[in-house]
Amino acid sequence: MATDTLNPTPSSSRTWLYPTPRGLYCAPGDFYIDPAVAVPRAVITHGHGDHARPGHRSALATPETLAIMRARFQDMPDTRQQALKYGETVRIGDVDVSLVPAGHILGSAQAVLEHRGRRIVVSGDFKRRPDPTCPAFEPVPCDVFITEATFALPVFHHPSDAGEIGKLLRSLHTFPERTHLVGVYALGKCQRVIKLLRAAGYDKRIWLHGGLASLCTLYQKHGIDLGDIALVSDAVLETFKGAIVLCPPSAIADRWSRRFFEPIPAMASGWMSVRARARQRGAELPLIISDHADWSELTQTLRDVGAPRVWVTHGREEALVHYARSMGIEAEALHLAGREEEDES
């Protein structure tokens, strides 16, 4: 059993699931969920770097998340990989573990833990709106719900995805000679923006920075059709005038971007609703497209799962804890180490 645990709160679910310096630890199963460092046994909710880290002796996740980890980490062959599909259950020690969709990115899951008649759901990161790149979030009734709080302030109400993509296409129509350079995170946001463009009727070639290629290929191998995409580096006699080019956010201000004709810098992120963040990113065209739940979706989720206890992780923890308590829910912040407030960080 692990030896680095803190003193759990007696007479509660925290007697068997609680935070430690390594991460959230499940004592009767002797495993960690999304640990911050390499551990003997880990359950991974999804492939973003603040949740999935290399070096574990054993890792359990959805097949898609394991594929993402193999694509990103060189030492994954040294990890015993256990794939668990949505809806399947496996016994680890004295705990039944299953994974249900979180609606965040490809392969993202909520970890459902059942032990001695009690159920805890660790949501990882999630969103509630439709996303053709992954199954929709499924609320699971439980005794304890562990939720993220990335956008847990009442000021955060994300607009419609279609409306934000419409802004990009209107700008393209208004400035047909200029290249639209859109900053996107390589895992999840890139592929989602492509699918949103396709849903809006944009069927032209979408150009990609080389740093986005491998994960787009992985998505395609898992049945996500991205249409006509190509690498900027493979272009021959291409001016990129009137083109949409996707790239990592850091590439917008890099020498790489100088090849494009009067580029219009855009950025797709839930944080683009904050003007200071948009200016910091140099986004002339901010696109508020988030892979996290906004305030209304977070609060709706608390009602949907009906948990009498809520534990809040990274983000605006205090606001969501206060709201949950106003609903008569026992709520507290976990302050887990190693969590980023945004996937684009």
Side-chain angles (χ1 to χ4, degrees):
M1 299 287 284
T3 59
D4 66 342
T5 57
L6 304 176
N7 292 326
T9 303
S11 68
S12 76
S13 297
R14 290 186 70 167
T15 59
W16 61 276
L17 184 73
Y18 43 86
T20 78
R22 292 184 177 186
L24 194 61
Y25 178 64
C26 180
D30 192 19
F31 61 83
Y32 294 84
I33 301 173
D34 294 346
V37 297
V39 297
R41 182 181 294 167
V43 172
I44 308 297
T45 61
H46 67 281
H48 279 142
D50 58 339
H51 291 256
R53 290 177 168 86
H56 305 306
R57 193 177 308 159
S58 173
L60 180 147
T62 62
E64 296 85 356
T65 293
L66 290 175
I68 290 168
M69 293 175 69
R70 288 192 295 270
R72 306 188 91 180
F73 305 138
Q74 294 182 350
D75 59 354
M76 275 297 286
D78 298 328
T79 298
R80 186 173 70 85
Q81 302 168 38
Q82 183 176 2
L84 189 66
K85 295 180 180 179
Y86 294 129
E88 294 181 345
T89 301
V90 64
R91 185 86 169 173
I92 304 178
D94 291 330
V95 181
D96 289 324
V97 180
S98 58
L99 301 176
V100 299
H104 181 53
I105 62 170
L106 178 70
S108 62
Q110 304 170 79
V112 181
L113 315 179
E114 300 191 59
H115 173 64
R116 294 184 177 178
R118 296 185 65 81
R119 177 186 293 161
I120 299 179
V121 174
V122 185
S123 67
D125 288 340
F126 69 94
K127 68 175 178 292
R128 299 299 302 268
R129 59 189 61 198
D131 180 350
T133 70
C134 61
F137 176 93
E138 294 181 10
V140 178
C142 53
D143 300 291
V144 179
F145 183 66
I146 302 179
T147 177
E148 62 147 305
T150 305
F151 291 103
L153 287 175
V155 296
F156 288 117
H157 288 281
H158 302 321
S160 76
D161 302 331
E164 294 302 288
I165 288 297
K167 285 167 49 178
L168 174 58
L169 294 178
R170 286 193 297 275
S171 181
L172 199 66
H173 178 76
T174 304
F175 304 103
E177 297 298 309
R178 300 178 66 180
T179 304
H180 282 68
L181 197 57
V182 185
V184 292
Y185 188 66
L187 174 55
K189 190 64 61 66
C190 172
Q191 299 79 21
R192 184 164 170 231
V193 167
I194 292 173
K195 291 296 287 184
L196 287 169
L197 283 165
R198 300 309 187 202
Y202 187 82
D203 58 3
K204 296 180 181 179
R205 175 167 293 176
I206 297 173
W207 295 93
L208 304 178
H209 183 283
L212 307 179
S214 63
L215 288 171
C216 283
T217 298
L218 186 148
Y219 267 63
Q220 290 171 315
K221 288 180 178 179
H222 283 83
I224 308 300
D225 181 13
L226 301 178
D228 186 3
I229 58 175
L231 294 181
V232 168
S233 58
D234 291 340
V236 178
L237 301 178
E238 172 62 51
T239 65
F240 299 103
K241 290 184 178 181
I244 294 176
V245 179
L246 305 186
C247 66
S250 60
I252 292 178
D254 191 71
R255 291 177 59 187
W256 175 85
S257 66
R258 296 177 185 175
R259 73 190 69 189
F260 305 112
F261 181 76
E262 296 185 0
I264 294 179
M267 177 72 191
S269 167
W271 292 106
M272 289 300 98
S273 62
V274 181
R275 293 182 180 178
R277 297 262 186 155
R279 287 195 300 268
Q280 183 183 31
R281 289 292 193 180
E284 184 178 329
L285 181 63
L287 304 173
I288 308 169
I289 299 174
S290 177
D291 289 327
H292 296 266
D294 65 11
W295 175 256
S296 61
E297 292 165 341
L298 286 166
T299 54
Q300 180 63 50
T301 300
L302 297 189
R303 292 190 289 271
D304 289 345
V305 300
R309 290 181 178 170
V310 169
W311 300 345
V312 185
T313 64
H314 54 296
R316 275 54 185 174
E317 298 166 329
E318 295 79 5
L320 195 57
V321 166
H322 176 77
Y323 177 87
R325 289 174 177 171
S326 74
M327 295 175 61
I329 297 171
E330 291 184 32
E332 60 181 301
L334 288 188
H335 304 296
L336 290 176
R339 293 286 184 266
E340 301 293 346
E341 69 171 10
E342 56 173 317
D343 56 15
E344 292 89 1
S345 61

